[in-house]
Amino acid sequence: MKLELRNIMINDIVFGECSKIQNNQLMINPKDLESIVLEDEHIAEVKFDIAKPGESTRITPVKDVLEPRFKIDSESQVFPGVASKVKTVGEGKTNVLKGMALVTSGRIVGFQEGIIDMSGPGAEYTPFSKTINLVMSAYCHEGVKPHEHEKAVRLAGIKVAKFLGELSIDVEPNEIQVFETLPLLQGIQKYPDLPKVAYVQMLQSQGLLHDTYVYGVDAKTIVPTLLYPTELMDGAIISGNCVSACDKNTTYHHQNNCVVHDLYEKHGKEINFVGVVITNENVYLADKERSSDWTAKLVEYLGVDGVIISQEGFGNPDTDLIMNCKKIEEKGIDTVIITDEYAGRDGASQSLADADPKANAVVTGGNANEVIKLPPMDKVIGHLEYVDKIAGGFNGSLEENGWITVELQAIIGATNELGFNHLSAKEY
Amino acid sequence: MKKLRVVHYINQFYAGIGGEEKADYPPEIREGLIGPGQALQAAFKEEAEIVATVICGDSYYNENMEESKSQILEMIRPYQPDIFVAGPAFNAGRYGVACGDITSHVQNELHIPGVTGMYVENPGVDLYKKEVYIIETKNSAADMRKAAPKMAKLVIKLGHHQEVGSPEEEHYIKRGLRKNYFADKRGSERAVDMLLAKLRKEKFDTEYPMPSFDRVSPSPAIKDLSQSKIAIVTSGGIVPKGNPDHIESSSASKYGTYDISQFDDLTDQDHETAHGGYDPVFANEDSDRVIPVDVLKEMEKEGMIGSLHPYFYTTTGNGTAVANAKAFATEIAIDLKNHGVDAVILTST
């Protein structure tokens, strides 16, 4: 499977009379987007704002972040099974609006929606302080239940992202990147001397607002399976969860999965990257046993020498992470796991809820309990009053002078477990 | 910068008083430096001065810890030091324990920072490394020439309240504290590099060495439920409506103890969850789903259980540090024992 990503640099976003992309500028007529969002009967009102890197702007509570993409030469389309027909993606040509992101916000659904600061100390911890953000704040009617609220905003975000991507249909890209993965046996023949490596991606599926969708299917209900890495780039996996902001994978993270990109970087040179195994993080023990057994079985069947395993969330999924690691190591296959830590505000506690000596190669996204002070911002998109309530916040987080004291947990993507950031932790 | 005032602690052997036969020597303080203080003073150059030296026999200290500590603190106080140094103790076990213990008390009670030095296998290391900076030394006094400059450097930094670097930079034994930093490469690239090293059987450094876990063996089964007092403890975050003690939705710093003697059934009028790790709808509709008060009250009436303890204990398990959870559990267990509780139903979410 071969995919051409055609990056169109977006250097500016403005509101205007019509919606178009010209000279690397995205112009939006908010009315075009409103009509898409208000198609959903649960949503009463929607507003759009623009937030740029370096501005004194805070966005909260943030639900999801998406990158507008659109496929220009195939019958399949981005976000298959959700915003487009169910048709296998990952092949052909896909336009990408690079340098921008769609951020979805509004009132809080659960406890676990986060903060994006466009400048100041908080900005260093989130990748979305570096993108020009179009912020969609969607408000549901009174009486809409939390899970209906989550779903309505999730689908609205997906549809708006697709609409924005489609604006690029006739735009020439600034840069083209090509990614190719051959069918397994051909790939192995092509690089007989390179170590074979697979990527095991664990998807948040604890349920009750902790969900992920694969081609529209709730990941709770899948058994571990195989994907070509390029399928992720076309939105095969989308986020539907309100897990702690710091280590949930937004849809943007799935589209730009950095493990996939960094494995491709060494593919054909130092390793042979054969594909992706996706698995879930269900809460029942029988599901955990089945999924970790199957994951180990699939990587054994692929005949790989090593795997990278990435996690999403913390606590309960730590058990899935360790089960996957242990069972794969027991098959004689080398593993590296990517996780983050909850070592307490002082850093003195155990970082994970489960552990095993076989997990001897760990990459950490940092201690999510570490506390940060965020100065007041001139502009707030959204609602600051939830800061005391979100995961990582505490009573008194929001001070009268506008300062916010929170754990990194409250910042979108701060301790990402795909390894999206430079943040790490070490022992002092 | 001003010249720092240092008080140094050594044992009877390094003071030249004697070996094992003098190990019961009681504490005393002398003006100026003695013995290994010379090497430290040389390393301080003009930046610090050892103004007094405390001497105490190793057996005396270890056998009379409370008393020795109090006497020594009172001896140090009038010298008003900026910083305290003990040892180094190298591989001497009782000396190591004394150095670690007195340094931690000087820090906690006199609020004066301290430094000591030990060989990594000295029993004082595991006891005190979390509280005290322990410069890593070799296992004999022959290492003093190398240990002294390392100790001196950290003494001067701490004395001036400057930021202390990593264990590698400052040569102290790791204290078990996790601290964030920005690495040169992003995490996924570090993971690919680590996997390549592992595949090639090359050396690699895991970023988080796995801890060893506590395993708790369950108590023997209860013989007669109808004579037993049962209590409920939960990490599911159930609280009286309004969360009166503001238990955090995640990373809880406290737990609550609430009276349920007046309730036969919890409803959305009186209870809810504070937990931020799951969709609260079902728990808020009926908190009995997380703590089964309704069923236990019925069992109490039917005589199936002796009684239900009138209080339940609750916190949110979501992201809560193990150290906090342990501290809550210790207090809760004492309270349960004091109330004659025989068994506990622990519920999580």
Side-chain angles (χ1 to χ4, degrees):
Chain A
M1 204 174 250
K2 188 176 182 178
L3 182 71
E4 187 177 302
L5 286 187
R6 300 158 59 86
N7 293 331
I8 294 155
M9 303 301 169
I10 299 298
N11 300 333
D12 196 15
I13 304 180
V14 293
F15 291 126
E17 288 298 306
C18 63
S19 299
K20 63 175 181 184
I21 297 168
Q22 208 167 27
N23 301 327
N24 299 103
Q25 184 194 61
L26 171 65
M27 180 185 280
I28 295 158
N29 180 348
K31 289 204 172 59
D32 293 340
L33 305 184
E34 283 164 24
S35 62
I36 297 171
V37 176
L38 296 174
E39 279 170 10
D40 192 311
E41 60 185 13
H42 298 98
I43 300 178
E45 193 195 341
V46 63
K47 286 191 308 197
F48 287 90
D49 287 280
I50 296 162
K52 295 179 184 173
E55 284 178 357
S56 177
T57 300
R58 172 164 297 139
I59 315 167
T60 190
V62 172
K63 298 169 197 309
D64 197 11
V65 184
L66 308 97
E67 187 170 62
R69 295 184 173 206
F70 201 77
K71 296 186 70 63
I72 57 169
D73 71 335
S74 45
E75 280 178 46
S76 64
Q77 194 42 268
V78 294
F79 305 126
V82 183
S84 312
K85 281 184 190 162
V86 183
K87 189 126 185 68
T88 303
V89 292
E91 205 154 24
K93 295 178 178 179
T94 301
N95 279 359
V96 182
L97 304 195
K98 216 69 214 165
M100 72 160 291
L102 172 68
V103 174
T104 62
S105 182
R107 291 196 196 289
I108 198 158
V109 175
F111 285 104
Q112 310 203 329
E113 292 149 37
I115 299 170
I116 296 173
D117 277 0
M118 299 307 290
S119 61
E124 292 176 35
Y125 291 87
T126 178
F128 308 113
S129 61
K130 288 130 206 135
T131 48
I132 304 173
N133 297 326
L134 177 66
V135 186
M136 177 188 100
S137 308
Y139 296 90
C140 285
H141 291 288
E142 285 280 312
V144 170
K145 294 260 193 314
H147 58 277
E148 295 169 336
H149 181 175
E150 186 281 320
K151 186 178 180 185
V153 177
R154 168 172 27 106
L155 295 180
I158 294 286
K159 286 192 286 185
V160 169
K162 187 183 167 192
F163 173 87
L164 296 171
E166 193 170 359
L167 296 174
S168 74
I169 200 154
D170 295 319
V171 180
E172 281 304 308
N174 299 92
E175 166 189 280
I176 292 177
Q177 292 172 291
V178 180
F179 300 94
E180 185 173 19
T181 297
L182 294 172
L184 184 65
L185 294 182
Q186 287 178 34
I188 287 172
Q189 277 169 6
K190 187 166 178 186
Y191 304 110
D193 299 328
L194 295 179
K196 298 173 284 294
V197 173
Y199 168 36
V200 173
Q201 188 183 11
M202 296 170 51
L203 304 176
Q204 178 55 257
S205 64
Q206 289 179 266
L208 299 174
L209 301 175
H210 296 47
D211 292 303
T212 304
Y213 298 86
V214 182
Y215 280 85
V217 178
D218 184 338
K220 275 198 293 297
T221 64
I222 66 164
V223 287
T225 190
L226 287 168
L227 292 183
Y228 277 101
T230 49
E231 290 177 77
L232 297 177
M233 300 176 184
D234 275 343
I237 298 177
I238 63 166
S239 166
N241 66 55
C242 308
V243 203
S244 284
C246 63
D247 56 13
K248 77 168 173 186
N249 294 328
T250 66
T251 300
Y252 186 102
H253 286 107
H254 287 298
Q255 294 169 303
N256 290 282
N257 190 307
C258 50
V259 177
V260 165
H261 280 267
D262 288 342
L263 285 172
Y264 265 133
E265 192 62 39
K266 299 246 188 317
H267 176 60
K269 299 170 208 154
E270 292 173 79
I271 54 165
N272 182 7
F273 175 31
V274 302
V276 181
V277 174
I278 54 166
T279 182
N280 51 19
E281 302 176 346
N282 288 12
V283 290
Y284 289 102
L285 184 59
D287 290 338
K288 290 178 186 294
E289 292 287 4
R290 185 189 312 108
S291 289
S292 53
D293 279 355
W294 277 54
T295 299
K297 179 184 72 178
L298 280 174
V299 297
E300 177 191 49
Y301 184 68
L302 290 173
V304 295
D305 303 299
V307 295
I308 290 176
I309 309 171
S310 70
Q311 190 190 359
E312 182 173 9
F314 64 96
N316 189 301
D318 292 347
T319 58
D320 301 271
L321 177 71
I322 296 300
M323 282 168 125
N324 284 323
C325 171
K326 205 171 128 187
K327 290 180 185 180
I328 293 171
E329 285 278 345
E330 280 166 0
K331 302 245 181 226
I333 298 164
D334 285 332
T335 63
V336 171
I337 63 175
I338 312 177
T339 184
D340 65 349
E341 303 181 42
Y342 287 76
R345 288 176 193 162
D346 60 0
S349 273
Q350 279 165 192
S351 297
L352 296 176
D354 199 5
D356 191 275
K358 291 197 172 65
N360 64 1
V362 183
V363 166
T364 172
N367 177 17
N369 292 133
E370 207 166 279
V371 170
I372 186 169
K373 281 178 84 76
L374 306 174
M377 295 275 151
D378 295 344
K379 182 179 175 186
V380 174
I381 302 175
H383 304 272
L384 277 183
E385 68 266 27
Y386 297 116
V387 166
D388 281 4
K389 271 199 190 175
I390 57 178
F394 35 87
N395 194 39
S397 272
L398 178 58
E399 293 164 34
E400 269 177 35
N401 57 14
W403 281 76
I404 294 175
T405 307
V406 285
E407 294 183 6
L408 289 180
Q409 200 183 157
I411 296 177
I412 289 278
T415 60
N416 180 274
E417 293 162 292
L418 301 176
F420 209 81
N421 309 323
H422 289 251
L423 192 67
S424 180
K426 63 181 162 191
E427 191 181 333
Y428 269 65
Chain B
M1 274 190 279
K2 72 160 192 171
K3 200 171 197 176
L4 296 168
R5 293 172 63 82
V6 180
V7 169
H8 188 203
Y9 174 95
I10 56 175
N11 70 359
Q12 84 288 345
F13 175 76
Y14 285 98
I17 291 167
E20 195 53 39
E21 76 288 356
K22 294 283 181 189
D24 58 351
Y25 195 83
E28 69 167 58
I29 192 161
R30 296 186 196 166
E31 300 266 332
L33 58 85
I34 301 171
Q38 290 181 5
L40 283 172
Q41 185 60 61
F44 291 148
K45 300 199 177 92
E46 290 301 306
E47 295 184 73
E49 184 186 3
I50 297 176
V51 293
T53 303
V54 176
I55 302 158
C56 182
D58 288 335
S59 299
Y60 188 91
Y61 194 96
N62 280 271
E63 285 160 20
N64 310 280
M65 277 183 131
E66 193 56 34
E67 205 187 315
S68 323
K69 164 212 109 177
S70 309
Q71 288 175 12
I72 293 170
L73 290 181
E74 286 320 306
M75 291 175 182
I76 296 170
R77 208 186 289 273
Y79 287 91
Q80 299 184 318
D82 301 298
I83 177 115
F84 179 76
V85 189
F90 304 104
N91 201 23
R94 284 172 309 159
Y95 188 20
V97 171
C99 286
D101 192 68
I102 192 63
T103 309
S104 92
H105 285 296
V106 168
Q107 289 181 169
N108 295 336
E109 290 167 48
L110 302 183
H111 308 290
I112 295 164
V115 175
T116 182
M118 296 181 209
Y119 177 56
V120 70
E121 286 176 21
N122 190 311
V125 169
D126 277 348
L127 287 171
Y128 298 103
K129 68 178 180 187
K130 284 200 171 183
E131 303 162 66
V132 173
Y133 286 109
I134 305 173
I135 294 290
E136 186 173 350
T137 68
K138 295 223 168 75
N139 62 0
S140 82
D143 191 41
M144 187 63 198
R145 198 171 51 86
K146 284 185 179 155
K150 295 174 196 166
M151 290 177 77
K153 190 178 151 213
L154 189 56
V155 161
I156 287 160
K157 271 199 174 175
L158 285 169
H160 290 299
H161 305 286
Q162 289 164 349
E163 200 179 324
V164 174
S166 66
E168 292 79 18
E169 288 158 0
E170 311 280 5
H171 310 285
Y172 61 85
I173 293 171
K174 286 179 180 172
R175 309 173 77 193
L177 296 178
R178 301 293 294 172
K179 269 198 191 176
N180 288 341
Y181 75 102
F182 287 98
D184 293 337
K185 292 177 175 177
R186 67 178 178 178
S188 50
E189 198 181 345
R190 304 199 305 270
V192 174
D193 289 348
M194 200 183 287
L195 182 63
L196 270 170
K198 196 169 169 179
L199 286 167
R200 291 170 182 162
K201 314 269 182 249
E202 292 167 2
K203 188 184 163 297
F204 62 89
D205 291 317
T206 182
E207 295 179 4
Y208 181 64
M210 285 285 131
S212 50
F213 267 50
D214 287 350
R215 300 282 171 197
V216 180
S217 43
S219 302
I222 285 190
K223 292 210 175 71
D224 184 1
L225 208 52
S226 71
Q227 298 298 314
S228 301
K229 189 175 188 180
I230 311 291
I232 303 171
V233 179
T234 186
S235 61
I238 300 301
V239 289
K241 192 141 186 161
N243 190 7
D245 298 313
H246 306 290
I247 294 174
E248 295 87 344
S249 67
S250 171
S251 308
S253 66
K254 57 196 149 195
Y255 66 94
T257 306
Y258 302 109
D259 189 350
I260 35 169
S261 59
Q262 303 309 310
F263 295 96
D264 285 332
D265 180 20
L266 308 182
T267 70
D268 60 359
Q269 298 302 302
D270 44 71
H271 287 80
E272 64 182 6
T273 182
H275 200 291
Y278 62 92
D279 177 356
V281 171
F282 298 110
N284 287 343
E285 272 175 9
D286 183 355
S287 293
D288 293 306
R289 286 169 172 153
V290 180
I291 54 168
V293 173
D294 52 353
V295 179
L296 286 165
K297 284 288 172 91
E298 276 170 31
M299 288 177 161
E300 188 180 24
K301 277 178 200 145
E302 289 165 3
M304 212 167 148
I305 60 170
S307 65
L308 178 64
H309 181 46
Y311 295 92
F312 77 99
Y313 307 80
T314 180
T315 189
T316 56
N318 184 32
T320 296
V322 176
N324 281 359
K326 265 192 173 169
F328 303 164
T330 307
E331 285 182 31
I332 292 169
I334 291 168
D335 205 47
L336 291 168
K337 283 216 147 183
N338 289 343
H339 286 94
V341 171
D342 300 297
V344 174
I345 296 180
L346 288 165
T347 68
S348 65
T349 47

